[in-house]
Amino acid sequence: MARQKLILPFGGGVDRKTGLTVVDPDAMADVRNAHLSRGQMELRRGIARRVLIEWGDDVLGIFSIRADGLAAVVVFEVASREVRLYVVDGALNVDLIDTLWTLPAAASVRVSAAESYSIIAFAHDEPEFGLRQATRIFDAEQQTIVDLTSDLDRSTVAETVRFQQVYSYLNYLMGTGYGTGADEDRPEVLRISKPGEPTVFVPEHYFLVGLQGEPIVGCGRSGDIFEVSKPSKSYKLIGYDHQTFGVRPLDENYGQLSSRLGVTVVNERFRWALDGPRVSQGGVSADVEPPLDLDGPAPDDAAPYPRPFPYDDDLDDAFAFYDSVRGEVWFVFGWWAYILHLKDGPAARRWSYRTFDTYLLCAGLVYEGGAARVKLHMRWTETTGPDTDHYLYGDLAVSDPTPQAINSITAFAVLEGGASAITPVELTGAGKGTGTPTSNLNTTGTLAVRIAKPPLFGSGSVTFSASAANRTAPTPITVNVPAVAGVPVAFAGASIAVEDYGANTMRVTTGLSGDYGYFTVSVNGGPESGHGDPLINVGTQFGWDIDAAGILTGEITSITVRAYTAGGALMGSDTSVGSWTVAYNNF
Amino acid sequence: MITPTLYLGAAVDPLLLEVGVDYIDDDDAPYELLAQSVPVVPAGPGGECAFPLLYLSTIHYSGDVSLWITPVVDGVDGETQRLDLIGVPNSKGERVTTEIDLSIPYVVDGVEQSRYHLRGAQFQARVETKYADAEVGAASTAAKTVVESVELEYEVLRESRPALGS
């Protein structure tokens, strides 16, 4: 029999005699590390490190802040279990914003985030409510981050909201897994913010989705509905505002396996269900065509190393995203990924398999080429010191994304409530000396700060601000300084003693106890002396040296000592009546 | 111009990894292209064919790259052959069709006496790179290559027998 020819379906391709004859595109037994498009197969491009966050171990999330051309990056440190928020601008400058959470030992290390109206909400994606942390709101414009609070149980006290996941849909922020302050752990609840006000949640604007107690696992837009998936069922949120919103059953048999294994591409939602990838367009889901039927290594064989701690479950940590440049939907399971190639249109979709030397945790867009939003950032961390009861200790860190460009940075501690309310302020950074309320850092750095707490004054506060040439000033930080509860001042009866202490000076001593701000001394009912700190401090004996010139002539018949708070409130007084002879210039 | 660029985040190192940079390695860790076609059975199940030639059509753009082509007949790997593609700077793509002889030489005392064709019922082709193998897999990071098609030449030696009653 004569020889014949047969085209082997190799990712489509061409017949070299007949030209572009694309054959059945799904006919591949195994494809690894390839881009599949236009009936061809190309070695995929690699990944390369571009930005190093100089802290922590794992990048948990990369979230676009489209309104500001920024990206929020969430980083986790294994040893401390601290989760921090960083911002990357268009010039790839990295700026620390603040700590999001310090996670309990058993808590999952996953984060959910959603952007809405120039804020981005961060939820701790922890199914166990007792371990879940507060939902936090980051204002990219103001560079501030606060807990999300709302009085959902109408108790007149706003409670801290702890959503498990957050989503952006239309002009709403959606949150799952939180009921009210009186009934917090409600995994089936979907809450919806006020339109255009993503941080405002009205108590009655929520839906119970499906069976009570069965958690919502993942959500996303599909067609013109908002799909709400549980592990083995899906529901749909219909409508476009609070008057028309409603939840209906959607898919009785298929849900979403884990919270991040779903992605919306144009009008289609791809999600990974218990039996593999599915797709929907606002209706019941269907198997992705062609079916995922690639040869490939078993998951354990594909892992080049043991899973990095604490990521012990490939499925829980898996995620999906869409690469719009290459038209690829990625389902990533740590060391490997299944890629659905959409470039050739719905009828010619194909799967491939990719392996990585790195355990991947997230993906997201960074808006490169935009303006560098170089902004100073300031962070206050309270520390401990030798006399924490009476002094507030802390580190004031001032950072700049590009420290080599800094001309100067100056940090100021501005006392609120009057200069004497909190005094002294000591900035004890290296080479900065003490006793000055300001200090010029001249570079990115950390300043050790010690602040005297006001005794019996009520709480005070210190506001730090910073500035530098060619930089946007950071939002000032106000640190509350709690008052020392203190011991009420007490005088040891008529125990005031007076002695000659040199020319024009007399020394007044008395037995005192308690906490106070300052004392004054008056003689013969005359004006009070200046404030001044005690010069003698031996046990409970305190004394003041007073300039007697112009005050004292003749006989002293009474001496009154008055105690004041640091804020100037009279705490008490003691008067000693006696007879002391005063000689001008020679007391 | 603002360009939304896709980045990946990973465990162990707090890095942002840009997607779509160069070829052949992920942050210095090499990866390999591997593609294997589904089995074709030209003479039908139970039939037998000779498989003398493969035609590999590629478009090579830049960098140096080696492709390794392995015929798989009835599930058994045949001899792997290497195809070196040398990059041309600033090339817009050079389309090359390479004829790959699948015959096996019969050598006696160093002299080739004859050649055998691969014979069997079922055929697959595997194309791969071997960058990680330093001895054989040298390649440059700009090794952009597109595999357009693989064409098999075969000769039916025995048709499959139809099933009883068909």
Side-chain angles (χ1 to χ4, degrees):
Chain A
M1 188 175 290
R3 288 184 178 183
Q4 302 172 63
K5 285 181 182 166
L6 177 67
I7 293 175
L8 298 184
F10 229 86
V14 295
D15 182 325
R16 73 191 165 86
K17 287 185 178 175
T18 60
L20 293 174
T21 306
V22 178
V23 297
D24 186 1
D26 61 3
M28 293 297 286
D30 195 348
V31 189
R32 303 183 199 181
N33 296 316
H35 295 302
L36 303 176
S37 68
R38 294 180 297 172
Q40 301 170 334
M41 179 183 68
E42 177 189 341
L43 174 64
R44 75 167 170 91
R45 288 182 174 236
I47 57 180
R49 62 176 65 196
R50 287 285 304 278
V51 181
L52 172 66
I53 312 290
E54 293 182 344
W55 178 87
D57 300 299
D58 311 328
V59 177
L60 302 183
I62 303 168
F63 306 101
S64 301
I65 311 173
R66 290 168 296 178
D68 293 86
L70 301 171
V73 178
V74 179
V75 183
F76 174 67
E77 185 181 66
V78 174
S80 65
R81 294 190 65 80
E82 186 179 344
V83 179
R84 287 186 181 179
L85 173 63
Y86 290 81
V87 160
V88 177
D89 70 9
L92 301 183
N93 298 312
V94 180
D95 192 13
L96 169 65
I97 299 301
D98 207 343
T99 297
L100 280 178
W101 310 293
T102 299
L103 301 178
S108 69
V109 185
R110 286 187 294 276
V111 60
S112 168
E115 181 193 16
S116 182
Y117 286 89
S118 84
I119 65 99
I120 183 165
F122 294 93
H124 178 208
D125 188 2
E126 163 60 59
E128 181 67 39
F129 185 80
L131 298 172
R132 194 182 307 158
Q133 304 298 297
T135 299
R136 311 210 71 193
I137 303 295
F138 173 56
D139 185 325
E141 190 62 34
Q142 299 299 320
Q143 301 253 312
T144 56
I145 186 161
V146 295
D147 286 351
L148 175 62
T149 58
S150 185
D151 182 16
L152 297 174
D153 57 2
R154 299 192 186 283
S155 64
T156 70
V157 177
E159 59 262 21
T160 300
V161 177
R162 289 189 280 172
F163 288 133
Q164 183 178 352
Q165 292 137 22
V166 286
Y167 301 93
S168 180
Y169 180 60
L170 303 176
N171 51 348
Y172 301 91
L173 182 71
M174 309 283 200
T176 69
Y178 187 81
T180 67
D183 185 15
E184 294 184 303
D185 186 11
R186 295 299 296 271
E188 77 284 5
V189 165
L190 174 71
R191 282 205 170 275
I192 305 172
S193 74
K194 290 183 74 173
E197 298 181 69
T199 61
V200 179
F201 286 82
V202 176
E204 58 268 27
H205 288 173
Y206 70 92
F207 289 96
L208 302 176
V209 182
L211 194 65
Q212 181 171 342
E214 186 185 20
I216 295 170
V217 172
C219 304
R221 187 180 64 79
S222 173
D224 57 359
I225 63 146
F226 186 70
E227 199 171 81
V228 183
S229 292
K230 296 194 167 192
S232 61
K233 285 190 177 184
S234 290
Y235 299 82
K236 61 181 177 182
L237 176 75
I238 59 173
Y240 49 84
D241 61 18
H242 285 294
Q243 280 70 48
T244 57
F245 279 148
V247 168
R248 305 281 187 273
L250 176 66
D251 197 329
E252 273 296 304
N253 300 305
Y254 297 100
Q256 186 171 315
L257 203 54
S258 63
S259 60
R260 299 188 300 158
L261 269 175
V263 62
T264 299
V265 181
V266 192
N267 272 326
E268 291 180 297
R269 178 161 175 79
F270 297 89
R271 56 186 159 89
W272 201 278
L274 283 169
D275 66 338
R278 301 187 70 79
V279 62
S280 60
Q281 292 182 317
V284 176
S285 67
D287 283 329
V288 173
E289 284 295 336
L292 175 52
D293 189 22
L294 288 174
D295 289 344
D300 286 345
D301 294 338
Y305 316 108
R307 288 191 192 95
F309 180 81
Y311 308 101
D312 56 358
D313 190 323
D314 288 337
L315 291 177
D316 283 347
D317 297 319
F319 62 98
F321 67 95
Y322 179 59
D323 180 350
S324 59
V325 174
R326 297 159 195 87
E328 299 170 345
V329 174
W330 294 41
F331 292 99
V332 184
F333 299 84
W335 306 110
W336 68 90
Y338 292 113
I339 312 294
L340 180 63
H341 301 265
L342 308 181
K343 201 78 171 179
D344 289 346
R349 290 173 174 169
R350 285 172 287 165
W351 287 99
S352 72
Y353 181 86
R354 284 184 193 166
T355 54
F356 303 97
D357 196 60
T358 306
Y359 194 88
L360 299 178
L361 291 174
C362 62
L365 295 177
V366 175
Y367 287 83
E368 284 191 53
R373 298 202 172 199
V374 180
K375 183 170 184 175
L376 294 181
H377 183 70
M378 206 164 39
R379 189 162 182 267
W380 166 263
T381 305
E382 191 167 332
T383 59
T384 56
D387 186 6
T388 304
D389 287 341
H390 291 84
Y391 290 93
L392 181 74
Y393 293 86
D395 291 329
L396 181 69
V398 182
S399 62
D400 188 294
T402 55
Q404 69 273 13
I406 293 177
N407 295 326
S408 66
I409 297 175
T410 304
F412 297 94
V414 180
L415 305 180
E416 291 186 346
S420 60
I422 304 171
T423 185
V425 173
E426 296 186 11
L427 303 181
T428 55
K432 305 296 186 271
T434 58
T436 170
T438 66
S439 183
N440 191 339
L441 291 171
N442 285 322
T443 182
T444 292
T446 301
L447 206 61
V449 180
R450 192 179 79 168
I451 301 166
K453 294 179 181 178
L456 297 176
F457 181 69
S459 60
S461 64
V462 175
T463 299
F464 296 104
S465 60
S467 64
N470 304 319
R471 296 289 183 273
T472 303
T475 304
I477 295 174
T478 297
V479 179
N480 290 322
V481 183
V484 178
V487 178
V489 66
F491 295 89
S495 58
I496 296 174
V498 179
E499 59 181 311
D500 181 358
Y501 204 71
N504 296 336
T505 302
M506 70 177 192
R507 172 160 290 184
V508 177
T509 58
T510 185
L512 299 168
S513 63
D515 294 314
Y516 53 86
Y518 60 88
F519 288 86
T520 63
V521 178
S522 64
V523 177
N524 293 343
E528 298 176 46
S529 64
H531 297 176
D533 290 329
L535 295 182
I536 301 171
N537 188 346
V538 180
T540 58
Q541 294 296 313
F542 294 83
W544 297 265
D545 290 343
I546 299 173
D547 183 358
I551 300 176
L552 304 171
T553 56
E555 185 183 25
I556 294 176
T557 56
S558 70
I559 295 175
T560 300
V561 176
R562 292 181 176 86
Y564 292 88
T565 68
L570 179 63
M571 300 172 70
S573 64
D574 187 21
T575 301
S576 184
V577 178
S579 177
W580 299 275
T581 301
V582 177
Y584 182 73
N585 275 346
N586 186 21
F587 178 60
Chain B
M1 186 180 73
I2 296 176
T3 307
T5 306
L6 183 62
Y7 280 82
L8 296 169
V12 181
D13 282 322
L15 297 166
L16 299 189
L17 301 160
E18 184 178 351
V19 178
V21 181
D22 293 334
Y23 293 85
I24 78 169
D25 72 81
D26 287 336
D27 198 23
D28 293 334
Y31 55 84
E32 309 289 2
L33 170 72
L34 186 150
Q36 183 160 325
S37 63
V38 292
V40 292
V41 191
E48 186 174 20
C49 294
F51 303 111
L53 288 171
L54 272 179
Y55 298 93
L56 178 68
S57 293
T58 60
I59 307 174
H60 189 58
Y61 292 87
S62 57
D64 301 337
V65 65
S66 299
L67 296 177
W68 299 79
I69 300 98
T70 305
V72 182
V73 177
D74 293 341
V76 178
D77 286 5
E79 183 184 4
T80 299
Q81 299 188 48
R82 173 177 175 167
L83 173 63
D84 292 327
L85 300 169
I86 308 301
V88 178
N90 304 317
S91 169
K92 292 184 177 178
E94 182 182 13
R95 180 174 270 110
V96 176
T97 298
T98 306
E99 183 179 301
I100 298 172
D101 187 352
L102 301 180
S103 62
I104 304 167
Y106 175 58
V107 179
V108 177
D109 294 334
V111 178
E112 182 177 317
Q113 304 293 321
S114 61
R115 298 185 78 86
Y116 292 93
H117 291 320
L118 292 173
R119 292 175 60 156
Q122 171 182 296
F123 186 92
Q124 292 171 276
R126 184 166 64 240
V127 176
E128 58 192 318
T129 58
K130 296 186 177 181
Y131 303 125
D133 187 335
E135 291 187 7
V136 300
S140 56
T141 55
K144 181 178 180 181
T145 296
V146 169
V147 177
E148 275 204 312
S149 71
V150 180
E151 209 173 346
L152 170 68
E153 190 169 279
Y154 68 97
E155 181 177 347
V156 175
L157 303 178
R158 187 184 72 242
E159 293 281 4
S160 66
R161 295 176 181 172
L164 287 175
S166 64

